[in-house]
Amino acid sequence: MNKSERRFPVDLVLELRNAKSKISISKDLLPYHWKKNPGRQSGLPHSRKWENTQITFNSDKKIFLNHSLDSLFFPPGQEYEFKIPPGQYEFSTLVGLLGGTEFQSQVSGILKLNSGGKVLKEWNLVGTMKESWISKQEVLEIGESGSLQLVWESKDSYLFVGEPLLYSKDTLESFSSSGKPKSVILIVIDSARKDFFGSYGYPYSVTPVMDQMAKESVFFENPFANGNWTKPSMMSFFHSEYSSNLGLGNSWFSTKPYQRKVYYGKNRDNLAKTFREAGYFSKTIMNNVFFLDYTTVGLDLGFHNSFQVGMDIVDTEVLTNHAIQFVNESKDKPYFLHFNLNTPHASYSPPPEDMAAVRSVVPTEVFYRYESPVQRYLGEMHYTDREIGRLVEALKKQGTYDETMIIVTGDHGELFSAHHDYSYHFIMQTRFGHGETHYDEEINVPYFIKLPKSIQESLGSDLAKKADGGQIRIPGQSSLLSLAPTILGFLNLLPKESSYRGADYSTCIRKADVCPKESFIYTEGRMSESVRTENYKYIRRYPGFTTVRRTAAGEPHTMAEELYDLKKDPEEKNNLSPLPEGERLLQIARADFRRENFLRRNHLRILIPPCSEAVCRDFLSLNVQGSIYDWEVSDSIQLSSGSAKTISLQKESKAARSPNLGEEVVFKTVNPELGAFFSFSRNGKTIPVRFGRYGLEYQRSITNLEDLIVSEREPEGFPSSALPWVYNDGAFSGTRESEVQREMGKEVKKILETWGYIHE
C-alpha cells in the first residue's frame, strides 16, 4: 500500500518496552521447555528480556508441527499496563498455557482485560489443554485514561499471549470503504530449477498455474540465488545481504553462539520485520527450521506467527491447507505471508496422479531420456504447481487475488547433469541434490512478481507501457538480493537508510528510469563461492577445502578454482582455470573478485619486522579458530597451507640500509572467531611476539588470545616495531570502543609499561 494508505494495528509486543510490568523477568522461568527465545523483537532491556518470547508449541507430534508465536509472557501474578489511544478496538490473539513443571497435568487461570479501573473482559482458561493455541477475539473500548491492563490470575500456570494486536474501529472501517488491502504472499519453492518452467522455456506444461501467473508479472529473465543451499540463500534474500555478512556463514546447518551474537548484535532489516513495522500481520507457513530461533540452526526474523511442519512428503498438503485457511481469515487486513513448500526437494516423492499428469504432457521419448530422479522431480514440480493453484483459487474465490502481490521464486536449483559430477556428494550421497557446486543449474531459479492490479495500472515506465498490462520483462542477469528492496519499493515501504543491499527494480518499472544492472552476481556455498558475470563464471573454494570427489575420469583431485566462458560454454563443461588459454580470463576474474570484495571479514594482521642482520630467514606458523578465507601478501613471501586453519609463511630478506618499516601480512578468516596460535622464528631462533592493542610481549606463543589479540584499529607503534606484532581488527564481528574506553586504554597502556609488560 502507498504511504497514505498505511494503517497500523497496535502491536503489544512492540509496545512492551514502554509498558509497565508488575514482574520484571530477566531469566528463563521455564527451563524445562526449550522451544522459546527471549526478547528478540521487543527491544527490552536485559533485565526484562524474558517478558517477550517467541514461544513454540509442538502441537501435533504426528507431523512435527511446531507453531511459534511472538508472545507476551505471564508468570503467575503478572500484570502489564499499556498506553493506548482511546477508542474502540478489535483485539485478536492466540493464548496458550504451560505448567511450572514439565509433568504438571492441570493448567488454569483467568486473564482480565481492564481499562481505567474497569474490567472489559475476563477469559477463564480453566480446563485448557497444555501447549496448544486458543484463538481469542474481542471488541474493547479503551477509555479516556488510555490505559489497557492485562492481569493474569493463576497459582501455578504460565500464560503466553501470542500475536496480541489491536485494530482500531476506524482502521477496519477504512479497509471496507477503500477496498481490499494490498497483501503480499512470497512463495518460495525449495530446489526449483528455472528451466523446468514453461515460462522459462520448458516446452511441456508441467507448471501451468505458475506459468499463467508469470504472464501477468514483472518477469526476471535470468535470476540467480545468492546461496546454493537453503540457509545462505533464504537468509540473503530476506535481508538483501549475503549470509556471511549477516554473521551466519555458509558451511553447515548449525548456527554457532558467536554467529548469533554477531547477527543479533547488529540492527538488521529483513522482510518480516519491515512489513510488521509497517502494520502488516506477518506469518510464515513452511517446512524450514532456519526461521525458528529455538532450533540450533535457525533465527527469529520477527514473524508474528510461524507455522512449521517437520514431516516430509505429507507436509505439502498440510501447509497449503493452512495457507488457504489463513488467507480466508485474514482477507480484510494487510498481511505478509511467507509460504515455503519443500517440494520439489529430494526425496522426489510425488503423488501418483502428478506422475500421471507429467506422463500425459511430456512425450514418452523425452520422458525416458531423463534418469529416474529427474522424472520424479518433474512430478514434484507438477504437484507443487497444483498446490499453489489451490491457494490461487482460494484468493480468486474470495475476491482478493487482483490486489494481492504474489512473488514466486526458488531458494536454489538442483544438480542433475552427469558432466558436473565433481561434488563432495556431501548431503545426498548422489549428484542429484544441491549445495556442493555453483553451476547455473544449481543456482538459476525462477523469480517473478505479480503486482496488485491498482499498482499495475499506475505504472508509467516505458517497460510497463510496452507490456500493456501483461508481462513486464527484465532482461539480463539479476539476483535474489534484489527481492526485498524491489517488492518494498513497489509498496513505498523501503525504510529510510535501510540496510538492504540489493537493487530496487521497482524504480525503473514505476517510472521511466534505467533499470539497475547486476554486473557481478555473488553466490555462497559450503566453504566455497562464485561470481557470475554475463561473460564468465568464476568459482573459488576456501583454502583447505579444495579436494573434490573425482574427475570426469573417476580420479580424486583438488580443484581450488573453476572458470567458465559463458559465451562459448554456457553449459559450463570446460574448466579454463588450469588451461593456458584461460590464463588471461582467470586473471580478470580474480581481479574482479578481489576488487568487488563481496564479504566482510575479520582481518588477522601480522607485522614482520625489518631485517637487522645480514640475511634474515623468517618462518611464521599460524593456526586460527575461524578458518582461513583469503590473504594479502607480497610476492616475496612463500605460503603453504596444510589445512583450513593452518598456514605457514617463509620470507628471506637482507638488512635494510636505512631504517624502514616492517611488512604487514593480512589473513582474512571465514568465521568471526578471534583466537589464534602464533609462532615466529628468525634464522632458526624463536623471538618474542607482540599481541593486540597494547603490544603485550610473550617469549613463546600462547593459545588463549581472544581477549589479548583484538584491537579495533592499528596499535600505536605497530608499523615501526622491531618485534613481530599480531592483532585481529575485529572489523566484521565488531569491537567498537567508546571514547571513555579509548581513554582508559591509554591509561592501561601506561600502567602496563610501568609494570614491564610493554617494552618500547
Side-chain angles (χ1 to χ4, degrees), residues 542-744:
Y542 296 175
F545 294 90
T546 60
T547 300
V548 296
R549 186 178 177 111
R550 61 186 180 86
T551 66
E555 297 297 325
H557 73 308
T558 59
M559 193 157 60
E561 294 175 305
E562 293 176 74
L563 179 69
Y564 299 94
D565 184 331
L566 297 179
K567 296 296 185 183
K568 298 178 181 178
D569 179 25
E571 293 186 15
E572 301 169 289
K573 291 183 176 180
N574 186 25
N575 178 14
L576 297 175
S577 67
L579 304 178
E581 58 264 35
E583 185 174 348
R584 181 175 178 277
L585 184 59
L586 182 62
Q587 295 305 319
I588 293 172
R590 286 172 174 170
D592 288 345
F593 170 76
R594 284 185 164 80
R595 182 190 66 250
E596 293 300 314
N597 195 27
F598 299 98
L599 298 188
R600 295 190 290 272
R601 301 291 192 179
N602 282 348
H603 296 75
L604 199 64
R605 298 182 177 273
I606 301 167
L607 178 83
I608 299 176
C611 183
S612 57
E613 303 177 35
V615 175
C616 291
R617 296 180 176 88
D618 297 328
F619 180 81
L620 179 153
S621 177
L622 180 69
N623 183 289
V624 301
Q625 283 183 334
S627 295
I628 297 164
Y629 173 71
D630 205 358
W631 48 71
E632 298 173 9
V633 299
S634 69
D635 293 338
S636 65
I637 291 176
Q638 295 180 323
L639 290 178
S640 61
S641 178
S643 73
K645 294 180 178 288
T646 63
I647 199 161
S648 299
L649 177 155
Q650 296 182 66
K651 178 185 178 183
E652 183 171 312
S653 58
K654 296 181 179 180
R657 295 181 179 179
S658 58
N660 65 337
L661 302 179
E663 180 175 359
E664 185 178 7
V665 177
V666 178
F667 293 98
K668 301 178 183 180
T669 58
V670 173
N671 295 319
E673 297 161 300
L674 299 171
F677 181 90
F678 181 89
S679 65
F680 185 91
S681 65
R682 172 163 283 177
N683 294 332
K685 180 182 178 182
T686 300
I687 60 177
V689 177
R690 289 180 166 179
F691 290 96
R693 73 182 70 175
Y694 303 127
L696 298 177
E697 289 181 21
Y698 286 86
Q699 294 297 316
R700 57 186 179 83
S701 184
I702 59 176
T703 55
N704 297 315
L705 291 174
E706 288 88 343
D707 295 330
L708 299 176
I709 202 171
V710 183
S711 177
E712 71 175 78
R713 60 194 179 279
E714 183 179 278
E716 183 182 349
F718 177 83
S720 57
S721 174
L723 292 175
W725 198 326
V726 56
Y727 74 95
N728 190 317
D729 66 6
F732 171 60
S733 55
T735 59
R736 303 300 92 183
E737 293 178 308
S738 67
E739 289 298 322
V740 173
Q741 288 173 321
R742 290 177 184 176
E743 291 304 314
M744 290 178 64

Side-chain angles (χ1 to χ4, degrees), residues 19-53:
K20 295 179 181 178
S21 61
K22 183 177 181 180
I23 304 170
S24 294
I25 313 170
S26 61
K27 64 179 182 179
D28 186 1
L29 300 181
L30 299 175
Y32 77 86
H33 192 280
W34 47 272
K35 300 182 182 71
K36 53 187 176 293
N37 59 290
R40 298 297 189 195
Q41 308 305 325
S42 54
L44 289 171
H46 186 80
S47 61
R48 297 182 58 194
K49 71 174 185 176
W50 279 93
E51 294 172 29
N52 165 220
T53 65

Side-chain angles (χ1 to χ4, degrees), residues 319-329 390-391 394 398:
L319 296 172
T320 307
N321 289 342
H322 191 69
I324 292 171
Q325 177 187 345
F326 170 74
V327 299
N328 283 332
E329 293 174 347
R390 291 206 293 129
L391 177 59
Q398 69 180 217

